[in-house]
Amino acid sequence: MTQPTAPALRRRGAAPHDVVAALALGLVPLAGSAATPPGQLLASQCAQCHGTNGQAVSGFESIRGKSASDMYKTLVEMKNRPAENIMDRQARGYTDAQLRLIAEYLAKLPTTASALPEK
Amino acid sequence: MNRRNFLQLAGLASASFALPRAVRAATAAPRVVVVGGGFAGATVAKYLRLWGGNIDVTLIDRNAEHYACILSNLVVTGQLAMSRIRLGYDSLRTGRGVKVVQAEVVEVNPAERCVVVQDATGFRAYPYERLVLAPGIEFTPAAGSYSAELTPHAWKAGPQTLLLKQQLSAMTSRGTFVMTIPKSPYRCPPGPYERACVVADYLKRKKPGAKVVVLDANTSIQAEPLTFDRAFKETYRGMLTYVTGAEVTGVVSAERRVLTTQGSFTGTVLNYIPNQRAGDIVTQAGLVNDPSGRWALVNPLTYASVVNPEIHILGDSQGTGQPKSGHMANSQAKVCADAIIRAFNGEGPDPAPTTSSACFSPITSTKASWLSASFQYDPGTAAMKRVDLGEAHEPTSDGFQQMYQWADNIFADSFV
């Protein structure tokens, strides 16, 4: 395993290779993706069961457009109670701060399919 | 024109391919080429388009469609049809704007930043700013006279699944189904144990008297140990023999005989699942570099190869030590897509990515168990660290229904 780029550089959002590559290529900015929404990547890890953008295609509950505080509370409860079901285990995989980011990101997604933030 | 000539021509005439990067850059979107259309490749292609705006994404696979290994053991037993695990690329093409190419990749050319494919019309080059390799596994069969037709592995879903199904179906009540479990790491840790269970369940119901012999190269059950130990000792007591530490040293497919460090075994059906390594294209690109000589080391913040930051390796071929499964491949693909998009925007990767695996395994034809594993990036070791692991207390019929719901959703999250 190689050394990761220096944390200090990463915090400034500057993995050296990536910056050089983007500048050298002079690539046009990516439409609509200039700032990655907080929680987007974390929440995408729910989609294997709860559907892309939290809209399930079958069975499991759709999880978008709900109250962020309710969802956060539920996730923390799952994380801390004795592990009975698969969500009790999955919730244990995240810090409370990550669970809050997930809940807040999903809460902002609209509930109607036609309002999907497709790009 | 042979491949060498083609590559020279491509290099000289790269104006039509990758050369005028500065010129191209002013007008064009960055290009990502993805090789391999399984769960990792399909998911990274989809999410690059979903999150990345105008990224030009090309997905290349030798097949016109993908057959999921997920649920495939129930195709082996005849409970599900092949159509249940068939996943096409039409939705990625029409709904997500992914360019889908059916062709064989014959070479990765990092210097020219292009991959060369061959199809019926000849050779073509696809230039990239970033390349993602997600070819899955290759097998390393033991010495002997091995034939995957005579002794199907059925560890890549598709025609192999049907071969094993036919052989199982032709067994009689006096038959023995012998199967081997490869040395870890291999694709889908619970998969072989799941197969042993559903095959035993099938034989118990349809060919009472038939036996199952499970030869495990490992010294213990590799996933869901409580679930499978109980299934082997209780549910399939008297008809299933589980042998640990049975490393395969030779195979004679024509005789359906396997030689192991625990003795020689002959079956009516031999389901020999060989040991595994990264897909050939990863090896050919010179990216297999872990201590075992089987997998490609990557930075888990980006899944970029540690020897070439423009080439990402996802899913079964990479060597982060995370389990090799469709769910994990999907999970890693999102981390990779996010990192590539950030890189195109001149940003570093998310410093704290998570991945997870949550899967359901049929234990009988009506009950399934589940497995959950969660990983966080550990900056101290620059590796993904498992932070939680657990399994169902017992297989249930609710779990069996949830298995189908999970499959529907992960199929759609990856391929639609």
Side-chain angles (χ1 to χ4, degrees):
Chain A
M1 198 67 62
T2 54
Q3 288 301 110
T5 51
L9 283 173
R10 261 210 315 281
R11 271 198 296 279
R12 298 208 307 268
H17 170 82
D18 293 334
V19 174
V20 171
L23 292 178
L25 293 171
L27 293 168
V28 290
L30 299 176
S33 69
T36 305
Q40 176 179 269
L41 177 58
L42 284 166
S44 74
Q45 303 297 358
C46 310
Q48 295 95 342
C49 293
H50 295 281
T52 303
N53 286 327
Q55 178 69 54
V57 298
S58 144
F60 294 116
E61 189 184 0
S62 293
I63 51 172
R64 66 191 200 182
K66 300 189 182 289
S67 153
S69 59
D70 286 356
M71 181 168 289
Y72 173 70
K73 203 176 138 202
T74 303
L75 287 168
V76 170
E77 190 183 308
M78 287 167 165
K79 177 179 168 174
N80 293 312
R81 71 191 179 194
E84 289 292 329
N85 63 48
I86 197 165
M87 267 311 300
D88 298 339
R89 295 248 67 114
Q90 283 284 305
R92 284 164 162 76
Y94 300 90
T95 65
D96 287 0
Q98 287 171 331
L99 292 177
R100 188 178 290 283
L101 281 171
I102 291 170
E104 286 172 354
Y105 176 79
L106 290 170
K108 285 181 193 145
L109 294 179
T111 49
T112 55
S114 58
L116 258 177
E118 303 287 330
K119 287 163 189 165
Chain B
M1 181 169 63
N2 65 27
R3 193 173 78 209
R4 185 61 53 197
N5 291 340
F6 172 82
L7 284 171
Q8 285 166 356
L9 187 63
L12 292 170
S14 51
S16 59
F17 298 115
L19 187 150
R21 302 175 83 80
V23 174
R24 178 192 151 70
T27 54
R31 296 162 297 189
V32 179
V33 173
V34 181
V35 178
F39 282 87
T43 304
V44 77
K46 168 176 169 172
Y47 275 81
L48 282 166
R49 295 288 304 159
L50 181 66
W51 290 340
N54 60 341
I55 296 177
D56 182 328
V57 181
T58 302
L59 174 65
I60 306 173
D61 196 282
R62 63 165 68 100
N63 296 313
E65 58 205 359
H66 180 70
Y67 286 94
C69 286
I70 291 169
L71 300 183
S72 69
N73 284 330
L74 295 177
V75 177
V76 169
T77 62
Q79 191 166 350
L80 297 178
M82 279 296 276
S83 58
R84 185 69 177 81
I85 59 169
R86 181 161 46 79
L87 297 165
Y89 301 116
D90 284 351
S91 295
L92 291 179
R93 186 187 287 116
T94 58
R96 303 291 175 187
V98 175
K99 295 170 182 169
V100 180
V101 174
Q102 187 187 353
E104 183 80 23
V105 172
V106 292
E107 189 151 343
V108 171
N109 189 328
E112 291 289 331
R113 293 192 182 86
C114 72
V115 298
V116 180
V117 307
Q118 184 175 25
D119 64 12
T121 65
F123 295 104
R124 270 176 293 140
Y126 287 87
Y128 63 79
E129 272 70 57
R130 292 296 177 115
L131 173 63
V132 179
L133 298 179
I137 49 162
E138 266 317 318
F139 296 110
T140 56
S145 52
Y146 169 62
S147 156
E149 280 66 48
L150 294 172
T151 53
H153 50 75
W155 218 243
K156 292 181 183 180
Q160 277 280 308
T161 312
L162 288 178
L163 269 180
L164 189 61
K165 172 195 155 113
Q166 286 155 9
Q167 292 193 3
L168 177 65
S169 164
M171 276 179 68
T172 70
S173 291
R174 290 192 302 277
T176 302
F177 185 96
V178 174
M179 68 174 287
T180 69
I181 300 178
K183 192 89 173 156
S184 281
Y186 58 84
R187 167 179 282 179
C188 190
Y193 306 96
E194 169 189 309
R195 176 172 292 171
C197 286
V198 296
V199 164
D201 175 80
Y202 167 86
L203 293 172
K204 198 171 160 182
R205 288 182 290 114
K206 307 274 186 177
K207 329 258 180 184
K211 308 279 189 203
V212 176
V213 175
V214 182
L215 304 169
D216 194 339
N218 305 288
T219 53
S220 61
I221 294 173
Q222 298 296 292
E224 299 177 57
L226 302 175
T227 299
F228 290 116
D229 183 63
R230 197 185 307 142
F232 289 176
K233 285 180 179 159
E234 296 173 18
T235 315
Y236 302 114
R237 185 190 182 93
M239 67 170 298
L240 185 149
T241 306
Y242 175 59
V243 182
T244 56
E247 292 191 45
V248 175
T249 55
V251 58
V252 186
S253 290
E255 299 172 15
R256 296 186 166 87
R257 183 158 57 92
V258 67
L259 312 170
T260 79
T261 49
Q262 300 290 334
S264 170
F265 297 82
T266 302
T268 320
V269 173
L270 174 59
N271 176 209
Y272 168 48
I273 306 170
N275 287 342
Q276 294 158 25
R277 60 173 171 80
D280 282 338
I281 197 69
V282 180
T283 307
Q284 286 164 18
L287 303 173
V288 170
N289 53 2
D290 82 324
S292 75
R294 294 159 69 188
W295 315 104
L297 293 178
V298 297
N299 175 355
L301 294 176
T302 61
Y303 292 88
S305 163
V306 298
V307 294
N308 186 330
E310 295 173 345
I311 305 180
H312 303 251
I313 301 130
L314 284 178
D316 295 349
S317 286
Q318 55 75 35
T320 58
Q322 297 170 94
K324 302 182 187 300
S325 72
H327 197 118
M328 279 300 306
N330 169 299
S331 187
Q332 294 161 9
K334 291 164 178 171
V335 176
C336 177
D338 181 70
I340 289 174
I341 291 164
R342 288 173 192 251
F344 285 152
N345 285 326
E347 301 168 18
D350 185 327
T354 65
T355 56
S356 77
S357 191
C359 67
F360 292 81
S361 281
I363 305 300
T364 70
S365 60
T366 58
K367 292 183 177 179
S369 64
W370 53 257
L371 165 66
S372 170
S374 303
F375 295 80
Q376 294 262 0
Y377 182 72
D378 176 7
T381 58
M384 294 304 288
K385 182 182 177 186
R386 196 175 69 200
V387 293
D388 191 69
L389 175 70
E391 63 181 292
H393 296 319
E394 59 180 352
T396 63
S397 39
D398 277 355
F400 203 84
Q401 292 314 308
Q402 288 175 3
M403 172 186 72
Y404 287 139
Q405 295 164 6
W406 162 68
D408 286 340
N409 280 297
I410 192 172
F411 289 178
D413 187 44
S414 307
F415 287 84
V416 176

